[in-house]
Amino acid sequence: MRLKGKVALLTGAAAAIKGELMGFGGAAAHVFAREGAKVVLTDIRDELGDRAAEALRAAGHDARYMHLDVTSEEEWTRVIDAVMAMHGRLDILFNNAGVGFPRKVEDITLAIWEQELNVHAKGVFLGTRTAIPAMRKGGGGSIINTSSVMGIVGSPTSPAYSAAKGAITVFTKSAALQYAKENIRINSVHPGYADTPLTEQRFNDPAVRQVLIDRTPMGRLGTADDIANGVLFLASDESSWVTGSELVIDGGMTAQ
Ligand SMILES: NC(=O)c1ccc[n+]([C@@H]2O[C@H](COP(=O)([O-])OP(=O)(O)OC[C@H]3O[C@@H](n4cnc5c(N)ncnc54)[C@H](O)[C@@H]3O)[C@@H](O)[C@H]2O)c1
């Protein structure tokens, strides 16, 4: 029970149904719930999210789903107000929602550029800004932002994604500095190539898959649980002296 008594809000967490391919948010929701947290799953895929929360409740967990488009200031306020009204505290925020539109620079439309920056950089900023006052009321908290290995090194396929994830990497460190004295820890997690609903179509192409496996020293792609287990450490009090850090979970990809 590493998160006993804690309240966790997760974005991009609708893919959380056991027996189906889970995303990082979905897998983290299961791990958090298993460790005793009350979990609030959010996403824009409402039907899937509702089913996922229902299944978690059926397994005996305290879980619910709420619609949250991370690019909307109003929706962030509504959801965090609802969490505070429901549970009276917010201890953990997993800022994890994401999109991906691989393109060469010359093929990146302004709409794609803005979508990447909005969902990733603006979404993480809005979530962090809205969560901080709620966490302060409880004496602190942990915010985990999903960046990527592509927020550390360049992406051969997705410069706009890489720019957006890079923004998360350094925003995380700056915010961590500003709130360290208030016991609000803010860290980023940097997954390598992993099988999730977001990547399923692209990574299931055998030729693409082989290239990604060849780039990964450990010789396999990651799973959502590989990432969720790292996120659990950052969410729990076991990481109580960790803030502004980059947790890389990539099978060794960025070590080379
Ligand atoms: N899978 C990988 O290889 C990989 C690697 C590095 C980083 N990531 C990042 O991990 C995060 C989770 O992705 P995943 O791979 O687990 O896939 P996923 O499909 O489970 O998660 C992405 C979720 O974000 C949701 N979403 C998209 N736009 C949104 C918005 N505006 N508001 C709220 N929710 C929105 C989607 O509906 C989806 O459920 C993303 O930020 C992604 O960029 C993934």
Side-chain angles (χ1 to χ4, degrees), residues 101-176:
F101 306 102
R103 298 277 193 291
K104 287 191 81 171
V105 171
E106 291 162 284
D107 301 324
I108 300 172
T109 61
L110 196 53
I112 286 176
W113 176 264
E114 284 172 352
Q115 170 85 338
E116 293 275 13
L117 270 290
N118 279 342
V119 174
H120 298 119
K122 180 171 152 187
V124 165
F125 155 63
L126 286 176
T128 304
R129 192 184 70 181
T130 319
I132 283 169
M135 289 183 167
R136 183 181 284 128
K137 286 189 182 139
S142 173
I143 300 176
I144 304 109
N145 298 328
T146 305
S147 177
S148 166
V149 288
M150 301 313 173
I152 300 175
V153 299
S155 163
T157 54
S158 305
Y161 179 84
S162 197
K165 291 301 196 182
I168 293 176
T169 307
V170 278
F171 171 77
T172 298
K173 292 183 195 304
S174 307

Side-chain angles (χ1 to χ4, degrees), residues 9 65 101 107 151 181 221:
L9 175 63
Y65 172 80
F101 306 102
D107 301 324
K181 292 276 192 304
L221 301 194

Side-chain angles (χ1 to χ4, degrees), residues 25-228:
H30 278 265
V31 169
F32 287 4
R34 184 195 74 207
E35 296 299 330
K38 297 179 170 122
V39 292
V40 180
L41 285 65
T42 69
D43 206 297
I44 51 176
R45 293 194 287 169
D46 298 334
E47 194 267 330
L48 184 62
D50 276 329
R51 276 202 293 132
E54 208 174 291
L56 277 161
R57 282 195 299 276
H61 299 300
D62 187 324
R64 70 157 50 211
Y65 172 80
M66 295 183 70
H67 177 88
L68 170 59
D69 179 337
V70 296
T71 66
S72 163
E73 193 172 17
E74 293 73 30
E75 291 185 19
W76 269 110
T77 303
R78 181 179 55 76
V79 166
I80 294 207
D81 284 353
V83 170
M84 292 304 277
M86 207 167 17
H87 295 303
R89 58 186 303 118
L90 176 64
D91 303 286
I92 299 159
L93 170 62
F94 185 24
N95 272 322
N96 168 73
V99 290
F101 306 102
R103 298 277 193 291
K104 287 191 81 171
V105 171
E106 291 162 284
D107 301 324
I108 300 172
T109 61
L110 196 53
I112 286 176
W113 176 264
E114 284 172 352
Q115 170 85 338
E116 293 275 13
L117 270 290
N118 279 342
V119 174
H120 298 119
K122 180 171 152 187
V124 165
F125 155 63
L126 286 176
T128 304
R129 192 184 70 181
T130 319
I132 283 169
M135 289 183 167
R136 183 181 284 128
K137 286 189 182 139
S142 173
I143 300 176
I144 304 109
N145 298 328
T146 305
S147 177
S148 166
V149 288
M150 301 313 173
I152 300 175
V153 299
S155 163
T157 54
S158 305
Y161 179 84
S162 197
K165 291 301 196 182
I168 293 176
T169 307
V170 278
F171 171 77
T172 298
K173 292 183 195 304
S174 307
L177 295 178
Q178 293 189 335
Y179 294 94
K181 292 276 192 304
E182 296 195 69
N183 196 33
I184 298 172
R185 301 183 296 104
I186 311 174
N187 293 286
S188 52
V189 63
H190 300 261
Y193 303 115
D195 286 314
T196 67
L198 185 69
T199 56
E200 189 175 16
Q201 207 186 348
R202 209 152 36 97
F203 291 5
N204 278 353
D205 175 334
V208 172
R209 194 172 186 83
Q210 197 52 53
V211 170
L212 303 181
I213 290 173
D214 290 346
R215 270 194 217 147
T216 305
M218 293 197 81
R220 69 166 174 89
L221 301 194
T223 66
D225 276 336
D226 287 328
I227 311 310

